[in-house]
Amino acid sequence: MIDFRSDTVTRPSDAMRDAARDAAVGDDVYEDDPTVNELEARAADLAGFEDALYVPSGTMGNQIAIRTHTDRGQELLCDEQAHVYKWELGGIPQLSQVQPRILDCGERGVPTAEQVRDGYVAEDLHRPGTGLLCLENTHNSRGGVAVPKAHVDEAAAAAHDLDVPVHLDGARFLNACVALDTEPSELTEHVDSVMFCLSKGLGAPVGSVLAGDAAFVERARRIRKLFGGAMRQVGLIAAPGLLALENVDRLADDHANAARLAAGLNEIEGLSAPEPDTNIVMVDSEAAGLTGEELSAACKDAGVTFHAFGEHTCRLCTHLDVDAADVDEALDRIAAVVADA
């Protein structure tokens, strides 16, 4: 099976397994796990922040950030296709008692300054006020778009002019940095916090990092405890995360394989796929007379697995466990499926 379901399906390397076995550990609730402490320090430095917090998942990291930045009843601005709004099980109102106010950010992925100003609600006797702007980079549901620094800075500046903090859902933030040839600390220059995953293209088996200034991380640590994310001898899973940070440059390989995949899909009659920014390929199958579910199911039977992402759309993710030869073989199998449809 050639697996394009997600870049979360990667298997940890032998070196990561060895690192987990040999990791120095302590009780992280007491902040004395040396491996976790090292991971948090390196991640904070990479992202350009004072401090960082290791969390079990990207969803938890985002929801901790929202709870930390906001007060109950406030509103949160985000794109209508944002992961924090669409794919995190309604966590915003459930965990923070915050109301999402959604914006249509289109292919740009993040709101314009005008959209931020128009969406902003001032606190008064009748209205709770806007408490947070959430951005996303890369933008998952919009096809792995790598949002340029200028667009992030524009939205963040508009929010800050209104005294609204900004959180960046950067699950694939390092993919954006590689695609844009921009240092991570530059891309986060004007946001107040960022979450990025170690368990996607970087290949760690588990874990994400939430970074911000020291006061933010101190508050976030309490919220992590509240959400059940405080763990004990976590060095066993943090050690592979340290090795994952060494995999940033190789994300370019995933982007090249995604471009190769999209180009090949475009050569199959009835399929069309825009050139991807990063490692996410969206393919439209309407002209082939196939729904996304039909294409996905038929390809799975042929040994290629990926998810339907709309009525006639599927999403395919490249990652470190598929190479150029796998892409070519997958294209042959998909072409045979479409020809037989």
mmCIF file of all heavy atoms in Angstrom, residues 15 51 75 127 130 167 171 178 210 255 266 270 276-277 284 288 317 324:
data_model
loop_
_atom_site.group_PDB
_atom_site.id
_atom_site.type_symbol
_atom_site.label_atom_id
_atom_site.label_comp_id
_atom_site.label_asym_id
_atom_site.label_seq_id
_atom_site.Cartn_x
_atom_site.Cartn_y
_atom_site.Cartn_z
ATOM 1 N N ALA A 15 16.898 5.346 14.456
ATOM 2 C CA ALA A 15 17.573 6.289 15.355
ATOM 3 C C ALA A 15 16.605 6.871 16.374
ATOM 4 O O ALA A 15 16.957 7.066 17.555
ATOM 5 C CB ALA A 15 18.220 7.412 14.543
ATOM 6 N N ASP A 51 10.102 30.865 25.131
ATOM 7 C CA ASP A 51 9.864 29.587 25.795
ATOM 8 C C ASP A 51 8.922 28.746 24.953
ATOM 9 O O ASP A 51 8.309 29.236 23.991
ATOM 10 C CB ASP A 51 9.253 29.828 27.180
ATOM 11 C CG ASP A 51 9.528 28.701 28.164
ATOM 12 O OD1 ASP A 51 10.068 27.646 27.742
ATOM 13 O OD2 ASP A 51 9.179 28.860 29.346
ATOM 14 N N GLU A 75 -14.955 36.595 21.489
ATOM 15 C CA GLU A 75 -15.006 36.063 20.134
ATOM 16 C C GLU A 75 -13.590 35.826 19.620
ATOM 17 O O GLU A 75 -12.642 36.487 20.043
ATOM 18 C CB GLU A 75 -15.749 37.023 19.194
ATOM 19 C CG GLU A 75 -17.230 37.142 19.520
ATOM 20 C CD GLU A 75 -18.007 37.914 18.467
ATOM 21 O OE1 GLU A 75 -17.384 38.421 17.509
ATOM 22 O OE2 GLU A 75 -19.236 38.002 18.606
ATOM 23 N N ARG A 127 -21.699 43.364 24.258
ATOM 24 C CA ARG A 127 -20.915 42.480 23.392
ATOM 25 C C ARG A 127 -19.619 42.070 24.089
ATOM 26 O O ARG A 127 -19.008 42.886 24.796
ATOM 27 C CB ARG A 127 -20.623 43.174 22.056
ATOM 28 C CG ARG A 127 -21.897 43.721 21.389
ATOM 29 C CD ARG A 127 -21.636 44.258 20.007
ATOM 30 N NE ARG A 127 -21.475 43.176 19.034
ATOM 31 C CZ ARG A 127 -21.272 43.380 17.741
ATOM 32 N NH1 ARG A 127 -21.193 44.614 17.272
ATOM 33 N NH2 ARG A 127 -21.153 42.368 16.908
ATOM 34 N N THR A 130 -13.622 40.970 20.845
ATOM 35 C CA THR A 130 -12.749 40.025 20.152
ATOM 36 C C THR A 130 -11.521 39.766 21.011
ATOM 37 O O THR A 130 -10.824 40.705 21.398
ATOM 38 C CB THR A 130 -12.335 40.581 18.780
ATOM 39 O OG1 THR A 130 -13.498 40.799 17.989
ATOM 40 C CG2 THR A 130 -11.413 39.597 18.063
ATOM 41 N N HIS A 167 -2.557 34.044 17.405
ATOM 42 C CA HIS A 167 -1.992 32.702 17.501
ATOM 43 C C HIS A 167 -1.877 32.119 16.102
ATOM 44 O O HIS A 167 -2.794 32.239 15.283
ATOM 45 C CB HIS A 167 -2.868 31.786 18.348
ATOM 46 C CG HIS A 167 -2.443 30.349 18.297
ATOM 47 N ND1 HIS A 167 -1.224 29.924 18.774
ATOM 48 C CD2 HIS A 167 -3.064 29.233 17.791
ATOM 49 C CE1 HIS A 167 -1.110 28.608 18.589
ATOM 50 N NE2 HIS A 167 -2.200 28.172 17.982
ATOM 51 N N ALA A 171 0.801 23.798 12.344
ATOM 52 C CA ALA A 171 0.994 22.344 12.326
ATOM 53 C C ALA A 171 2.073 21.970 11.316
ATOM 54 O O ALA A 171 2.961 21.160 11.606
ATOM 55 C CB ALA A 171 -0.317 21.645 12.002
ATOM 56 N N VAL A 178 10.222 26.274 4.710
ATOM 57 C CA VAL A 178 11.049 25.699 3.649
ATOM 58 C C VAL A 178 10.555 26.170 2.280
ATOM 59 O O VAL A 178 11.339 26.572 1.417
ATOM 60 C CB VAL A 178 11.057 24.166 3.746
ATOM 61 C CG1 VAL A 178 11.697 23.534 2.512
ATOM 62 C CG2 VAL A 178 11.793 23.719 5.008
ATOM 63 N N LEU A 210 4.175 24.163 21.566
ATOM 64 C CA LEU A 210 3.506 25.465 21.616
ATOM 65 C C LEU A 210 4.510 26.467 22.158
ATOM 66 O O LEU A 210 5.060 26.278 23.246
ATOM 67 C CB LEU A 210 2.278 25.390 22.526
ATOM 68 C CG LEU A 210 1.526 26.697 22.776
ATOM 69 C CD1 LEU A 210 0.946 27.267 21.483
ATOM 70 C CD2 LEU A 210 0.419 26.475 23.813
ATOM 71 N N HIS A 255 8.043 18.275 -0.797
ATOM 72 C CA HIS A 255 7.452 19.266 -1.700
ATOM 73 C C HIS A 255 7.731 18.892 -3.161
ATOM 74 O O HIS A 255 6.834 19.000 -4.020
ATOM 75 C CB HIS A 255 8.006 20.664 -1.402
ATOM 76 C CG HIS A 255 7.743 21.122 -0.005
ATOM 77 N ND1 HIS A 255 8.301 22.273 0.516
ATOM 78 C CD2 HIS A 255 6.982 20.596 0.988
ATOM 79 C CE1 HIS A 255 7.893 22.433 1.758
ATOM 80 N NE2 HIS A 255 7.098 21.425 2.069
ATOM 81 N N ASN A 266 -2.260 15.445 -13.373
ATOM 82 C CA ASN A 266 -2.777 16.294 -14.445
ATOM 83 C C ASN A 266 -2.678 15.627 -15.822
ATOM 84 O O ASN A 266 -3.390 16.022 -16.748
ATOM 85 C CB ASN A 266 -2.029 17.632 -14.460
ATOM 86 C CG ASN A 266 -2.583 18.611 -13.443
ATOM 87 O OD1 ASN A 266 -3.795 18.710 -13.268
ATOM 88 N ND2 ASN A 266 -1.702 19.311 -12.755
ATOM 89 N N GLY A 270 -9.279 13.376 -17.078
ATOM 90 C CA GLY A 270 -10.381 13.449 -16.128
ATOM 91 C C GLY A 270 -9.973 13.945 -14.755
ATOM 92 O O GLY A 270 -10.827 14.271 -13.932
ATOM 93 N N PRO A 276 1.108 22.265 -6.140
ATOM 94 C CA PRO A 276 1.064 22.518 -4.689
ATOM 95 C C PRO A 276 2.188 23.433 -4.228
ATOM 96 O O PRO A 276 3.272 23.463 -4.818
ATOM 97 C CB PRO A 276 1.242 21.112 -4.098
ATOM 98 C CG PRO A 276 2.060 20.385 -5.118
ATOM 99 C CD PRO A 276 1.627 20.932 -6.463
ATOM 100 N N ASP A 277 1.924 24.163 -3.146
ATOM 101 C CA ASP A 277 2.968 24.963 -2.508
ATOM 102 C C ASP A 277 3.897 24.080 -1.685
ATOM 103 O O ASP A 277 5.099 24.350 -1.595
ATOM 104 C CB ASP A 277 2.354 26.005 -1.565
ATOM 105 C CG ASP A 277 1.783 27.203 -2.288
ATOM 106 O OD1 ASP A 277 1.902 27.277 -3.520
ATOM 107 O OD2 ASP A 277 1.213 28.075 -1.597
ATOM 108 N N ASP A 284 -9.025 17.048 -8.374
ATOM 109 C CA ASP A 284 -10.443 17.088 -8.723
ATOM 110 C C ASP A 284 -10.741 15.985 -9.730
ATOM 111 O O ASP A 284 -10.033 15.848 -10.736
ATOM 112 C CB ASP A 284 -10.803 18.454 -9.318
ATOM 113 C CG ASP A 284 -12.294 18.609 -9.537
ATOM 114 O OD1 ASP A 284 -12.818 17.999 -10.506
ATOM 115 O OD2 ASP A 284 -12.944 19.327 -8.764
ATOM 116 N N ALA A 288 -13.724 13.085 -14.579
ATOM 117 C CA ALA A 288 -13.592 11.629 -14.765
ATOM 118 C C ALA A 288 -14.886 10.888 -14.422
ATOM 119 O O ALA A 288 -14.949 9.658 -14.546
ATOM 120 C CB ALA A 288 -12.454 11.097 -13.904
ATOM 121 N N CYS A 317 -1.165 13.523 0.637
ATOM 122 C CA CYS A 317 -0.014 14.124 1.314
ATOM 123 C C CYS A 317 1.238 13.299 1.052
ATOM 124 O O CYS A 317 1.229 12.082 1.242
ATOM 125 C CB CYS A 317 -0.235 14.168 2.821
ATOM 126 S SG CYS A 317 -1.417 15.389 3.377
ATOM 127 N N ALA A 324 10.158 9.212 -4.759
ATOM 128 C CA ALA A 324 9.761 9.479 -6.139
ATOM 129 C C ALA A 324 9.291 8.216 -6.845
ATOM 130 O O ALA A 324 8.338 8.252 -7.639
ATOM 131 C CB ALA A 324 10.922 10.118 -6.895
#
